[in-house]
């Protein structure tokens, strides 16, 4: 998988605009939460962040991909929810303030719901 993440990251950073990259990033966003391997979750998260920061996309597509990060907060297993929270935190730190402000309501609602329903000790 390391080679696949490296290839996809290279495509994202070079801004090779092809529809398949958008589709692949849907799977990468899922892997960032659901992969059993911590290293794969980390690589998927970094690839997703690079995608959000550098790849050209419209507002609707950006909203879709940010929504994927937020949906990860509802994953059934704590390890995946923590990975989703880490990915989201990295995105919030790295994204331009305007993007964060544009989606602040969604971020707040998802994080508040997760905080209210979380049963993990941490």
């Amino acid at each position: 998988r390391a080679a696949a993440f490296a290839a996809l990251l290279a495509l994202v950073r070079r801004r090779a605009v092809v529809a398949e990259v958008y589709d692949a990033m849907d799977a990468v966003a899922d892997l960032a939460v659901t992969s059993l391997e911590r290293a794969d979750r980390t690589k998927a998260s970094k690839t997703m962040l690079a995608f959000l920061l550098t790849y050209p996309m419209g507002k609707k597509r950006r909203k879709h991909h940010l929504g994927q990060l937020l949906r990860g907060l509802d994953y059934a297993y704590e390890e995946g929810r923590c990975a989703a929270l880490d990915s989201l935190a990295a995105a919030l730190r790295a994204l331009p303030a305007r993007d964060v402000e544009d989606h602040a309501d969604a971020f707040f609602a998802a994080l508040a719901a997760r905080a209210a329903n979380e049963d993990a000790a941490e």
Side-chain angles (χ1 to χ4, degrees):
R1 289 190 192 192
F5 283 123
L8 190 54
L9 189 57
L11 285 172
V12 166
R13 288 188 174 149
R14 292 185 196 278
R15 295 181 177 201
V17 181
V18 290
E20 289 80 6
V21 171
Y22 295 108
D23 297 337
M25 292 313 296
D26 286 338
V28 169
D30 289 339
L31 281 174
V33 175
T34 62
S35 179
L36 297 176
E37 297 293 326
R38 179 183 205 113
D40 287 345
R41 288 193 307 269
T42 301
K43 288 175 189 168
S45 177
K46 287 181 180 181
T47 303
M48 188 69 187
L49 183 59
F51 174 74
L52 288 170
L53 292 174
T54 63
Y55 209 74
M57 66 184 86
K59 289 182 181 183
K60 190 174 180 181
R61 191 170 295 271
R62 182 172 305 281
K63 182 178 180 180
H64 166 75
H65 289 293
L66 289 172
Q68 285 184 296
L69 293 178
L70 294 173
R71 282 190 296 279
L73 296 173
D74 292 328
Y75 188 62
Y77 298 103
E78 179 182 350
E79 196 169 80
R81 291 193 305 271
C82 288
L85 187 59
D86 290 342
S87 294
L88 185 59
L92 289 174
R93 284 190 299 269
L95 286 170
R98 183 174 189 103
D99 285 346
V100 174
E101 290 170 7
D102 288 347
H103 303 286
D105 292 344
F107 292 140
F108 179 77
L111 289 167
R114 180 73 266 149
N117 295 316
E118 185 58 54
D119 55 356
E122 291 182 16

